[in-house]
Amino acid sequence: AQSVTQLDSHVSVSEGTPVLLRCNYSSSYSPSLFWYVQHPNKGLQLLLKYTSAATLVKGINGFEAEFKKSETSFHLTKPSAHMSDAAEYFCVVSERNFNKFYFGSGTKLNVKP
Amino acid sequence: DTAVSQTPKYLVTQMGNDKSIKCEQNLGHDTMYWYKQDSKKFLKIMFSYNNKELIINETVPNRFSPKSPDKAHLNLHINSLELGDSAVYFCASSEVSGNTIYFGEGSWLTVV
């Protein structure tokens, strides 16, 4: 069975400081993993995805995530937060070659000036 | 050029009414979805269609009926709207392999 756990419902950082959003997953198969961002009153935008190539995945807007199979984690990081990063972030796991996507409960990122 | 587009973006309607939300994707994907996002931002899949055939039908009241006239369109019709139906409804699509899912901008439904 697949599941995703986002360990923090809210994260607050100061502008210019690093961002860490944590995600753990469980999967019976080789998973594909994704991070999506949702700005207020907007749809979900793909930030990055892992699909069995390099374990360190770079995405848009300076975000990256590292797939760690031994820890079943796919944490999202950014070296320096920007005010425009304030949004809701979703970690997603899917079974390859299936059409099921499992969403985490979301982490709201607040960026303080 | 929007990849997954849904209309209307905002919809306010009274209890008991029937309403539809339309969705179209121009990505050439075979699979389309409807998700519901509640007030706590939790996303729950409602339906999934692959090439016009229903493949996922989660526990959803039968007042909700999806219709896929072709693989580029998946519309959602809701009968006898209830207060609890107020939510954001997202249409999405993916390739058959399910490699990446692309979302529309959402439809904000408010039932009063």
Side-chain angles (χ1 to χ4, degrees):
Chain A
Q2 320 291 316
S3 70
V4 180
T5 302
Q6 291 184 241
L7 296 156
D8 307 294
S9 59
H10 289 82
V11 169
S12 186
V13 301
S14 297
E15 192 174 21
T17 64
V19 175
L20 170 64
L21 304 183
R22 299 182 293 166
C23 173
N24 285 95
Y25 70 93
S26 66
S27 174
S28 305
Y29 305 93
S30 296
S32 293
L33 292 154
F34 310 82
W35 276 98
Y36 285 82
V37 60
Q38 184 181 23
H39 287 94
N41 298 324
K42 295 287 186 183
L44 282 83
Q45 180 185 16
L46 179 68
L47 270 181
L48 50 79
K49 65 180 180 182
Y50 165 78
T51 55
S52 84
T55 56
L56 182 62
V57 181
K58 293 188 185 300
I60 61 171
N61 301 335
F63 284 94
E64 61 182 39
E66 187 170 8
F67 172 69
K68 292 187 177 180
K69 187 175 181 178
S70 60
E71 299 176 10
T72 60
S73 69
F74 190 58
H75 301 332
L76 181 70
T77 60
K78 182 173 180 177
S80 176
H82 192 273
M83 294 298 291
S84 61
D85 295 328
E88 191 91 23
Y89 291 79
F90 293 93
C91 183
V92 182
V93 64
S94 79
E95 304 168 6
R96 292 208 203 117
N97 300 320
F98 292 91
N99 295 111
K100 283 205 166 189
F101 294 84
Y102 299 85
F103 283 77
S105 53
T107 298
K108 185 169 184 177
L109 176 64
N110 179 43
V111 181
K112 299 174 288 186
Chain B
D1 195 20
T2 305
V4 181
S5 58
Q6 52 184 112
T7 55
K9 179 155 186 171
Y10 299 102
L11 182 57
V12 180
T13 188
Q14 290 187 326
M15 283 175 55
N17 284 349
D18 303 338
K19 291 294 178 187
S20 292
I21 307 173
K22 295 185 176 182
C23 180
E24 176 182 2
Q25 54 96 2
N26 62 8
L27 297 167
H29 291 164
D30 287 314
T31 306
M32 295 185 71
Y33 312 79
W34 277 108
Y35 281 84
K36 180 180 179 180
Q37 186 176 46
D38 62 23
S39 57
K40 294 184 178 178
K41 302 292 186 184
F42 183 69
L43 275 149
K44 182 178 178 182
I45 187 156
M46 301 173 69
F47 303 102
S48 173
Y49 269 72
N50 181 264
N51 213 2
K52 301 193 297 175
E53 288 192 24
L54 181 65
I55 56 171
I56 295 175
N57 184 357
E58 295 295 311
T59 306
V60 176
N62 58 15
R63 298 182 293 105
F64 290 78
S65 54
K67 283 190 172 52
S68 183
D70 56 61
K71 76 173 193 177
H73 296 83
L74 180 62
N75 303 322
L76 183 66
H77 189 75
I78 315 170
N79 289 327
S80 303
L81 278 156
E82 300 177 357
L83 293 176
D85 298 331
S86 296
V88 186
Y89 293 85
F90 285 100
C91 178
S93 73
S94 72
E95 296 171 356
V96 175
S97 65
N99 208 17
T100 304
I101 188 167
Y102 295 89
F103 286 87
E105 288 282 294
S107 294
W108 272 253
L109 173 65
T110 303
V111 182
V112 297

